[in-house]
Amino acid sequence: MFTADEMLHHWRGHRALTRRTIERFPDEHLFTFTPGAPLRTFGEMMLETVRMVAPSLHGVESGKWDFTQIDTSDVHEKAVLLHLWDEADALIEARWPHLTRDALRGVVPPLPHLTALPYLVENEIHHRGQGFVYLRLLGIEPPAFYER
Amino acid sequence: MFTADEMLHHWRGHRALTRRTIERFPDEHLFTFTPGAPLRTFGEMMLETVRMVAPSLHGVESGKWDFTQIDTSDVHEKAVLLHLWDEADALIEARWPHLTRDALRGVVPPLPHLTALPYLVENEIHHRGQGFVYLRLLGIEPPAFYER
């Protein structure tokens, strides 16, 4: 239904929208604001999203999965998160041409019904939607969902 | 990268998860609770999601788009929303075999960068993620995101 190039283009659009969502958060709220317990901050959710990129790309390309690679526990600033975001973008662009069709359709090992790369995009959409709620509660207009 | 059958299977998994999310809301909160202005209730977001299904399927199949078909302004009960949800499921199952490759790749007319059917799924994921926030704030555990 869609080619690998189309999927990359599609993901780029989502990542650009998510980046705009991060940027819209005031620095003082990104890693502190939640609407209530037990919800995490949007910054923490986006760090989780960033942490999944390298292991997922490596996993589908090599067949070897290791989700314990990156420590982001000391990240509490928007500029650092955006830098990690851009590094993940660069990694996606660098590895995509090397991914075979089988790799692009590779599953998340403990959850074999989940295709790893679409799952990454969906996890990003899921948490970004939550960020939209947080922004509204902070009185800030989120970016347009239909712009990519 | 994915076949039409795979996309249908994938969407079915998301719709089942979203249905479980709706079910988890107490009846008295589904159409009344929001964490604050200007946020809508989860019930209203899910009615919007339901309203998009028939026009989108009809639009990609026929090339004729009309987004003003369904009035759900009198729906304020979980059972009615779930009934509409199941009707939309049945419509998806009924029309899917008739969709050509071009139809499956059809775009949303005012936004030609958005492929209509994946956009429906993404809009559902986006709002379902917001419903997860609402459930947490109500002290209710959402369904598992990775189960479909």
Side-chain angles (χ1 to χ4, degrees):
Chain A
M1 197 176 149
F2 295 101
T3 67
D5 274 358
E6 285 167 339
M7 185 181 162
L8 175 58
H9 178 74
H10 183 79
W11 195 8
R12 276 190 197 126
H14 276 294
R15 288 191 58 86
L17 173 58
T18 308
R19 196 184 196 286
R20 286 198 295 278
T21 308
I22 296 168
E23 286 181 298
R24 203 145 301 194
F25 271 79
D27 231 320
E28 68 268 30
H29 287 132
L30 185 58
F31 287 96
T32 59
F33 175 77
T34 88
L39 292 163
R40 294 179 291 169
T41 66
F42 188 62
E44 283 162 29
M45 292 191 258
M46 290 298 101
L47 284 175
E48 176 197 88
T49 303
V50 159
R51 284 196 304 268
M52 290 167 69
V53 171
S56 296
L57 288 172
H58 183 73
V60 298
E61 188 173 348
S62 70
K64 291 174 192 152
W65 288 78
D66 177 3
F67 278 102
T68 60
Q69 291 175 358
I70 310 168
D71 180 8
T72 57
S73 56
D74 62 343
V75 177
H76 307 290
E77 285 176 23
K78 181 157 77 171
V80 181
L81 172 57
L82 289 173
H83 177 71
L84 293 173
W85 196 263
D86 295 340
E87 280 188 344
D89 275 345
L91 186 67
I92 294 165
E93 299 293 330
R95 296 322 306 163
W96 203 266
H98 300 278
L99 298 180
T100 62
R101 183 166 188 275
D102 280 350
L104 289 166
R105 296 162 61 93
V107 299
V108 185
L111 304 161
H113 62 296
L114 297 177
T115 316
L117 298 181
Y119 183 73
L120 275 193
V121 182
E122 292 169 3
N123 191 61
E124 180 178 329
I125 297 169
H126 173 79
H127 287 309
R128 186 181 60 214
Q130 300 179 331
F132 274 40
V133 170
Y134 288 22
L135 283 172
R136 291 276 187 207
L137 292 174
L138 289 166
I140 298 165
E141 176 86 12
F145 180 68
Y146 50 81
E147 283 176 14
R148 297 294 157 84
Chain B
M1 196 177 149
F2 295 101
T3 67
D5 274 357
E6 285 168 338
M7 186 182 161
L8 175 58
H9 178 74
H10 183 79
W11 194 9
R12 276 189 198 127
H14 277 294
R15 288 191 57 86
L17 173 57
T18 307
R19 195 183 196 286
R20 286 198 295 278
T21 309
I22 296 168
E23 285 181 299
R24 203 145 301 193
F25 271 79
D27 231 318
E28 68 268 29
H29 287 131
L30 184 58
F31 286 97
T32 58
F33 175 77
T34 88
L39 292 163
R40 293 180 292 168
T41 66
F42 188 62
E44 284 163 27
M45 291 190 256
M46 290 299 101
L47 284 175
E48 177 197 87
T49 303
V50 159
R51 284 196 303 267
M52 290 167 70
V53 171
S56 295
L57 288 172
H58 182 74
V60 297
E61 187 173 348
S62 69
K64 292 175 191 149
W65 289 78
D66 178 3
F67 278 102
T68 59
Q69 291 175 357
I70 310 169
D71 180 7
T72 58
S73 56
D74 61 344
V75 178
H76 307 289
E77 286 176 24
K78 180 156 78 170
V80 180
L81 171 57
L82 289 173
H83 177 72
L84 293 173
W85 196 262
D86 295 340
E87 279 189 344
D89 275 344
L91 185 67
I92 294 165
E93 298 294 330
R95 297 321 305 162
W96 203 266
H98 300 278
L99 299 180
T100 63
R101 184 167 186 275
D102 280 351
L104 289 165
R105 296 162 61 93
V107 300
V108 184
L111 303 161
H113 62 296
L114 296 178
T115 317
L117 298 182
Y119 182 74
L120 275 193
V121 183
E122 293 169 1
N123 191 60
E124 180 179 329
I125 297 169
H126 172 79
H127 287 308
R128 185 181 61 214
Q130 301 179 330
F132 275 40
V133 170
Y134 288 22
L135 283 173
R136 292 275 188 208
L137 292 174
L138 289 166
I140 298 165
E141 177 86 11
F145 180 68
Y146 51 81
E147 282 176 14
R148 299 294 157 83

